[in-house]
Amino acid sequence: MIMSRKIVSHVVFLILALFCCTENSHGKLIMQGSAGFFKGFRTLTSTKKHAYGQAYYDRVLRFKNPANGAMTSFSVTFFFAISPEDRHKGSHGMAFVISPTRSITGSSADQYLGLFNEANNGNSSNHVIAVELDTNKDDEFGDINDNHVGININGMRSIVSAPAGYYDQEGQFRNLSLICGKLLRVTILYNEKKKQLNVTLSSPDEDYYPNQPLLSLNQDLSPLFLEEMYAGFSASTGSVGAMHYMWIWFINPYLTVPSLSFGIPTFPPYPNAKSLVNRIVWLSILALAIFVALAASALSFIFYRRHKMVKEVLEEWEIQCGPHRFAYKELFKATKGFKQLLGKGGFGQVFKGTIPGSAAEIAVKRISHDSRQGMQEFLAEILTIGRLRHPNLVRLQGYCKNKEELYLVYDFMPSGSLDKYLYRRTNQEQLTWDQRFKIIKDVATGLCYLHNDWVQVVIHRDIKPANVLIDHQMNARLGDFGLAKLYDQGFDPRTSTVAGTFGYIAPELIRSGRATTGTDVYAFGLFMLEVSCGRRLIEPRAAANEMVLVEWTLDRWENGDILEAANERSRQEHNREQLELVLKLGVVCAHQVAAVRPDMSKVVRILNGDSQLPGNLLDIVLAERVRMWSETSNVVPSHESIRTLTFTEPFTSHGR
Ligand SMILES: *[C@@H]1O[C@H](CO)[C@@H](O)[C@H](O)[C@H]1NC(C)=O
Ligand SMILES: *[C@@H]1O[C@H](CO)[C@@H](O)[C@H](O)[C@H]1NC(C)=O
Ligand SMILES: *[C@@H]1O[C@H](CO)[C@@H](O)[C@H](O)[C@H]1NC(C)=O
């Protein structure tokens, strides 16, 4: 009975996934007032004085169960930075706010932070709760200093407040300056059972997350909350200006502190008069350089036209992209006229070739593309990623553009892709466990490199056996960066439709449409299970409880014999501990709740035996799963409520 419920929930989830894919809607921040972008970073205020700006999540949040009015626990984590005009003096500050409307209109700037005005300040019919990061001491509201954190209900006078800082491991208080211009993190946890609201401020520079909150308020918040509320951020300036940068935020209908690993961005300082002068100087130099470049290219163009020497015209943007360009003729020769088809991928056909005059074998992928604009962006991206070099990544040698078609030239991988080996029936043909384990480690290392070790975070977006290629020595290389988009230091420039392979797409990716390193980890978890079990993710012909591989593995784990999920050959071999480790790691990586998944560097450490899985792992896996279902509401939740309340959304930045 329990089994069939699980399967049903999974099937419902798959249907929902399809629905969301076509709908492709996800929440975003609506920016109002002074809010906008500065050098690609979202900021709540601009250089405008005595003004306020707000950024509100456009979706309604249900903090109460409509059936019985019971309030839910919730957690909020956000990252921000404040760059003041004057290094020693902030402007007024910013606040996270939950309110009955999607924006607060008619509020005042300056000391009111865009939250209230003189008339409604303190009125209990406001239904507003805010956590303020106050950088100015306003005696009229009883502020303690010009660098404090406070919890405000319905008005500007904080109910509790404390100087900005955190408690370290020894319980010692350490100051933090809100206006240091560096990234800071705020976590707000409301426990419905304890009726307690905790606020923690910390610096992501420190690896350590404070155990003790900065502020703790014991108060039942349910009278304050209406059934439907909105959440957002607000900030204001006074006679002194400041940039209030809002980076990433998360809000969940359960208690969680997301563990994230990302490159910490450097936020631009407040633009002062001096930098304006600098900018004018730089702009003039740039203008001069562009003029010289244009004149030079015009001259060479005329020269080429006259001599009719060029058959393929290099467009200006291609010149910037680097030297990997092959001539179409060369590729045509190399592939003997695109005769030997190796396979078909999501993007186009792949041909085998040999570079004339050498023995180097290549694989040429032909991609048809109709829009020139899209092609340009796509190619620029591919070439940037093509500079990546790693033994576990397939190397991109170069490209060629001919009319509407793009050719990508890769190292030839003689043994083809992993999916050809994975689903073999007979024992002799099947991969040994050692080979499987090596493949998993290789792919983990390659993916970890993409996520952590390059200047930019690169999200692969389509991890699956068909995209893993095998060389002579059975080394695995991760290929097909066709879908990968650059994920520049945590900013995803623009979210398109959900891309990836059905079945490997993480639940939050479907909801938000935004790929992250976490969604790659999810796909990698499924990949690990698939490789170690030697079967497909969903096997429609299997018995009902075995149909969905990850459910089946977890089910066997709960039952005390996780090895039962693996294929027979792997089970018969000696290394049962390794197999068990990989299966467990696979289930954790493919967990529905992103915060439970480890990051790739952790995965690599565990696979290499440098780090261990926690002893109570099954409890964590099950607890998070149960929590997600039970705390959203006290009845079995409708999918609608899950969708609106459970989102984990890194904000986009980059006003491209
Ligand atoms: C509080 O606000 C409500 C609605 O705007 C208004 O009717 C009421 O008079 C206000 N109360 C006070 C004390 O200002
Ligand atoms: C923290 O800041 C307060 C006020 O700004 C100051 O009095 C105190 O000495 C500082 N403490 C430390 C440890 O720096
Ligand atoms: C708030 O902090 C206190 C003190 O550290 C802790 O005991 C309590 O569990 C926290 N409550 C929540 C909701 O996190």
Side-chain angles (χ1 to χ4, degrees), residues 30 32-33 52-56 95-109 112-117 120 126-130 154 156 230-234:
I30 304 176
Q32 291 150 111
Y52 69 91
Q54 296 172 346
Y56 258 85
F96 167 76
V97 56
I98 299 177
S99 65
T101 50
R102 201 172 314 191
S103 67
I104 304 183
T105 45
S107 356
S108 303
Y112 289 100
L113 298 179
L115 299 176
F116 303 102
N117 56 37
N120 70 7
N126 287 340
H127 292 281
V128 171
I129 178 164
N154 293 330
M156 287 313 297
Y230 291 88
F233 299 87
S234 184

Side-chain angles (χ1 to χ4, degrees), residues 221-529:
L221 293 183
S222 64
L224 180 71
F225 276 75
L226 305 179
E227 208 169 272
E228 298 192 340
M229 300 286 271
Y230 291 88
F233 299 87
S234 184
S236 67
T237 56
S239 52
V240 178
M243 291 288 174
H244 296 89
Y245 297 111
M246 208 359 260
W247 198 46
I248 309 178
W249 76 302
F250 303 86
I251 180 164
N252 287 294
Y254 48 87
L255 297 171
T256 179
V257 180
S259 62
L260 303 166
S261 73
F262 47 71
I264 293 176
T266 312
F267 292 89
Y270 193 89
N272 56 25
K274 201 170 138 218
S275 81
L276 202 69
V277 171
N278 271 345
R279 203 187 301 166
I280 290 169
V281 171
W282 278 111
L283 277 181
S284 357
I285 292 175
L286 195 69
L288 194 71
I290 289 174
F291 176 77
V292 170
L294 279 181
S297 54
L299 275 179
S300 54
F301 185 68
I302 292 167
F303 176 79
Y304 279 133
R305 275 299 273 280
R306 188 165 306 155
H307 292 262
K308 288 199 167 47
M309 277 174 66
V310 145
K311 297 215 176 67
E312 291 178 66
V313 179
L314 285 176
E315 287 161 50
E316 197 182 337
W317 56 270
E318 287 179 285
I319 299 169
Q320 304 161 355
C321 286
H324 320 275
R325 184 166 175 155
F326 283 81
Y328 177 71
K329 243 184 165 170
E330 204 179 339
L331 284 190
F332 192 86
K333 234 189 240 166
T335 56
K336 302 206 171 66
F338 301 101
K339 286 263 161 57
Q340 201 179 343
L341 187 67
L342 286 173
K344 255 186 199 169
F347 275 94
Q349 295 160 308
V350 186
F351 300 92
K352 190 182 168 184
T354 309
I355 294 193
S358 82
E361 290 179 310
I362 50 174
V364 181
K365 179 170 276 197
R366 180 163 72 191
I367 299 163
S368 307
H369 211 292
D370 35 19
S371 89
R372 190 180 170 280
Q373 183 60 34
M375 162 87 94
Q376 189 167 324
E377 256 170 47
F378 181 70
L379 186 53
E381 218 162 80
I382 291 279
L383 292 182
T384 320
I385 293 169
R387 283 188 253 137
L388 295 172
R389 292 286 179 268
H390 189 273
N392 299 116
L393 298 177
V394 178
R395 192 163 72 102
L396 178 73
Q397 293 195 1
Y399 73 103
C400 163
K401 196 177 147 264
N402 188 46
K403 296 189 191 116
E404 294 305 309
E405 279 165 340
L406 177 69
Y407 299 85
L408 297 177
V409 181
Y410 292 98
D411 284 354
F412 175 67
M413 302 294 281
S415 304
S417 59
L418 178 61
D419 55 335
K420 295 202 188 74
Y421 299 83
L422 214 48
Y423 316 114
R424 287 178 176 166
R425 290 281 164 74
T426 60
N427 259 2
Q428 290 90 326
E429 283 181 327
Q430 281 177 0
L431 299 172
T432 64
W433 171 250
D434 287 341
Q435 284 170 331
R436 286 173 202 265
F437 190 58
K438 168 102 178 22
I439 288 167
I440 289 172
K441 279 212 304 207
D442 284 352
V443 174
T445 315
L447 187 59
C448 184
Y449 175 76
L450 289 181
H451 283 184
N452 301 317
D453 298 339
W454 205 51
V455 240
Q456 282 147 316
V457 178
V458 176
I459 308 280
H460 185 284
R461 287 175 195 242
D462 201 11
I463 293 160
K464 58 178 176 181
N467 280 339
V468 171
L469 295 150
I470 308 290
D471 70 11
H472 286 296
Q473 289 101 31
M474 291 302 282
N475 295 312
R477 286 167 179 251
L478 194 49
D480 208 344
F481 300 99
L483 282 170
K485 293 252 167 94
L486 277 184
Y487 194 74
D488 185 358
Q489 301 278 24
F491 306 127
D492 193 351
R494 198 180 312 145
T495 302
S496 46
T497 50
V498 174
T501 298
F502 186 66
Y504 289 91
I505 302 172
E508 78 272 15
L509 176 58
I510 291 160
R511 282 190 296 269
S512 70
R514 195 152 292 138
T516 61
T517 51
T519 57
D520 268 1
V521 171
Y522 179 86
F524 181 72
L526 296 177
F527 172 83
M528 275 196 277
L529 293 180

Side-chain angles (χ1 to χ4, degrees), residues 60-232:
V60 64
L61 304 176
R62 291 195 180 79
F63 287 94
K64 288 184 171 177
N65 182 343
N68 57 13
M71 173 92 185
T72 173
S73 295
F74 64 89
S75 52
V76 178
T77 292
F78 65 91
F79 291 82
F80 71 98
I82 302 176
S83 295
E85 181 178 14
D86 176 343
R87 206 154 54 84
H88 305 289
K89 195 169 180 321
S91 185
H92 280 278
M94 62 184 279
F96 167 76
V97 56
I98 299 177
S99 65
T101 50
R102 201 172 314 191
S103 67
I104 304 183
T105 45
S107 356
S108 303
D110 298 83
Q111 69 270 35
Y112 289 100
L113 298 179
L115 299 176
F116 303 102
N117 56 37
E118 215 173 326
N120 70 7
N121 186 23
N123 189 326
S124 64
S125 61
N126 287 340
H127 292 281
V128 171
I129 178 164
V131 171
E132 64 167 25
L133 304 160
D134 199 332
T135 57
N136 192 52
K137 184 168 189 280
D138 299 300
D139 292 326
E140 56 177 311
F141 305 137
D143 283 355
I144 48 173
N145 64 12
D146 60 359
N147 183 48
H148 66 272
V149 181
I151 300 174
N152 295 15
I153 292 179
N154 293 330
M156 287 313 297
R157 187 173 281 272
S158 301
I159 300 211
V160 284
S161 66
Y166 65 97
Y167 293 93
D168 70 9
Q169 271 135 319
E170 278 85 49
Q172 278 291 320
F173 181 76
R174 308 226 167 237
N175 284 342
L176 282 174
S177 164
L178 293 172
I179 58 168
C180 62
K182 290 203 196 130
L183 192 68
L184 295 174
R185 164 174 59 193
V186 170
T187 298
I188 303 164
L189 299 172
Y190 178 67
N191 186 324
E192 161 56 17
K193 293 206 184 73
K194 291 191 196 158
K195 317 272 182 229
Q196 187 176 49
L197 184 78
N198 285 359
V199 176
T200 308
L201 177 71
S202 58
S203 159
D205 276 345
E206 309 273 328
D207 233 3
Y208 152 81
Y209 178 79
N211 290 324
Q212 193 182 338
L214 179 63
L215 297 174
S216 192
L217 173 69
N218 290 302
Q219 181 171 336
D220 181 5
L221 293 183
S222 64
L224 180 71
F225 276 75
L226 305 179
E227 208 169 272
E228 298 192 340
M229 300 286 271
Y230 291 88

